[in-house]
């Protein structure tokens, strides 16, 4: 494997003063999986340096935040903890109440970043007002957005002022590169972290080994002595603004994903992947 260091690669999380691992851990749909296995997997990830944990009040209607609280018990200070408010709860008062509920379920007194899950019916000005109040009160260390395009980001920046949005969490994997055109450059220019979700295309979306895309991934993987998924994780976190949050409910998957923390793709690899997964 092409390694850069023996320690996990870290990257500054937007405007925060915190460096987080380039690969963190997602938790969507963990309520459907074996609870003990999920907790074991999350803890294994923490042991391997994947300390950026992403959750949301939406996930299992709070059940996933409760599961996360068990996984992080006694280890809160190691973790960069992110949760999200549902759009319908993101009003001036609603977002504050939703955050309090998330904190309670997570068994903590603060979030490292709190996100608007996606834009909904509530005026953005109200959500930002609530986020700023939560930050002033020390309940959150920073705030960000999710599923925002450039028009949404511009509106949020106009309302909040420059330098306030810590991150934009968006769909990103080799088959879904829309954010490369405008969202990534916009965020990069302002030091906003771009957190790519569903790096494997979620459940069942990963290229099969008998497809041209799968063969391209396998060729790069074979060159480095790694797996195709490790190649994808290195690809989705390949530039300074990008962070990835794969979800894995099995410790074996987490261990595999964690090895990508130290994998660097070279120009030849990137060219191979560019041919197999062209931007549309
Ligand atoms: P994903 O991470 O692309 O894929 C998860 C699937 O990949 C699971 O079925 C998992 O299996 C499997 N997997 C993980 N590592 C593997 C490995 N090494 N080998 C084989 N299979 C592996 O999908 P995602 O959950 O959609 O996205 C990741 C996270 O992003 C979410 O969990 C969530 O935190 C966040 N997200 C945010 C939004 C948003 O709107 N902001 C939307 C979607 C997702 P097991 O679970 O069985 O291990």
């Amino acid at each position: 494997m092409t390694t850069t260091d023996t320690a996990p690669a870290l990257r500054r999380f937007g405007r925060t003063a915190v460096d987080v691992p380039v690969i963190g851990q997602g938790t969507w749909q963990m309520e459907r999986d074996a609870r003990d296995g999920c907790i074991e997997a999350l803890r294994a990830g923490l042991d391997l340096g994947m300390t950026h944990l992403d959750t949301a009040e939406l996930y299992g209607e709070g059940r996933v935040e409760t599961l996360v609280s068990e996984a992080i018990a006694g280890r809160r200070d190691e973790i960069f903890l992110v949760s999200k408010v549902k759009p319908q709860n993101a009003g001036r008062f609603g977002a504050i109440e939703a955050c309090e509920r998330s904190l309670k379920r997570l068994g903590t007194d603060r979030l490292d970043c709190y996100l608007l899950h996606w834009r909904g019916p509530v005026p953005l000005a109200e959500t930002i007002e609530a986020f700023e109040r939560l930050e002033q009160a020390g309940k959150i260390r920073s705030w960000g957005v999710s599923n925002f395009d450039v028009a949404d980001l511009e509106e949020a920046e106009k309302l909040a002022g420059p330098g306030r949005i810590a991150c934009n969490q968006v769909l990103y994997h080799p088959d879904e590169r829309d954010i490369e055109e405008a969202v990534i450059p916009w965020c990069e220019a302002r030091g906003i972290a771009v957190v790519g979700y569903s790096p494997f295309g979620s459940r069942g979306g990963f290229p099969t080994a008998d497809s041209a895309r799968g063969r391209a991934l396998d060729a790069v993987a074979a060159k480095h002595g790694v797996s195709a998924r490790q190649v994808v994780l290195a690809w989705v976190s390949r530039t300074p603004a990008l962070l990835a949050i794969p979800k894995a409910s099995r410790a074996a998957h987490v261990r595999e994903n964690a090895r990508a923390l130290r994998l660097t793709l070279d120009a030849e690899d990137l060219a191979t992947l560019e041919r197999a997964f062209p931007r549309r």
Side-chain angles (χ1 to χ4, degrees):
M1 187 191 307
T2 309
T3 57
T4 46
D5 199 346
T6 51
L10 300 175
R11 214 158 264 171
R12 184 57 51 98
F13 193 95
R15 70 169 159 96
T16 72
V18 186
D19 291 329
V20 301
V22 292
I23 300 165
Q25 302 188 77
T27 62
W28 184 37
Q29 297 183 329
M30 275 195 172
E31 79 283 3
R32 299 184 182 182
D33 300 328
R35 185 183 170 84
D36 289 350
C38 291
I39 291 169
E40 184 199 343
L42 288 170
R43 286 184 184 156
L46 296 179
D47 292 342
L48 292 164
M50 295 160 79
T51 52
H52 170 194
L53 291 194
D54 179 75
T55 192
E57 63 169 341
L58 175 78
Y59 299 170
E61 292 302 326
R63 278 179 289 148
V64 173
E65 287 182 324
T66 308
L67 183 158
V68 168
S69 80
E70 215 174 303
I72 67 174
R75 309 182 67 162
R76 176 66 186 90
D77 292 345
E78 296 168 42
I79 293 154
F80 190 87
L81 186 59
V82 178
S83 192
K84 313 183 198 78
V85 61
K86 288 185 204 172
Q88 62 268 36
N89 289 344
R92 183 175 289 115
F93 304 111
I96 289 172
E97 288 161 14
C99 183
E100 299 281 6
R101 290 193 297 269
S102 285
L103 290 173
K104 199 164 173 202
R105 284 191 291 263
L106 286 160
T108 185
D109 59 354
R110 83 266 176 209
L111 294 171
D112 294 289
C113 198
Y114 195 37
L115 313 184
L116 173 60
H117 211 144
W118 66 90
R119 275 200 83 165
V122 171
L124 202 48
E126 286 197 29
T127 309
I128 291 173
E129 183 188 321
F131 282 176
E132 291 290 357
R133 281 173 53 204
L134 284 165
E135 190 169 329
Q136 279 158 21
K139 307 266 181 187
I140 64 174
R141 294 262 162 89
S142 65
W143 59 265
V145 294
S146 178
N147 299 302
F148 269 36
D149 62 21
V150 168
D152 297 322
L153 288 163
E154 280 174 346
E155 193 179 331
E157 188 186 54
K158 205 179 264 181
L159 288 163
R164 297 306 300 156
I165 306 166
C167 79
N168 186 20
Q169 187 181 118
V170 278
L171 177 65
Y172 192 47
H173 57 78
D175 263 330
E176 185 51 72
R177 300 177 60 183
D178 287 358
I179 61 166
E180 290 179 17
E181 194 180 337
V183 170
I184 294 178
W186 196 94
C187 290
E188 261 174 353
R190 291 160 179 80
I192 294 171
V194 178
V195 180
Y197 68 69
S198 304
F200 304 141
S202 233
R203 285 181 189 229
F206 200 77
T208 53
D210 60 358
S211 65
R213 290 164 180 212
R215 281 194 293 276
L217 286 172
D218 285 344
V220 175
K223 179 177 142 184
H224 292 278
V226 301
S227 70
R229 279 188 174 75
Q230 288 166 340
V231 170
V232 166
L233 290 177
W235 186 88
V236 294
S237 59
R238 70 196 179 286
T239 67
L242 294 172
L243 298 160
I245 46 167
K247 172 263 182 185
S249 293
R250 294 158 216 250
H253 286 166
V254 167
R255 289 191 193 98
E256 179 180 340
N257 299 344
R259 290 187 63 219
L261 282 164
R262 286 178 286 278
L263 172 64
T264 307
L265 301 176
D266 61 28
E268 183 189 44
D269 306 329
L270 295 176
T272 302
L273 298 175
E274 189 64 45
R275 282 190 297 275
F277 299 90
R279 256 167 73 172
R280 286 190 280 258

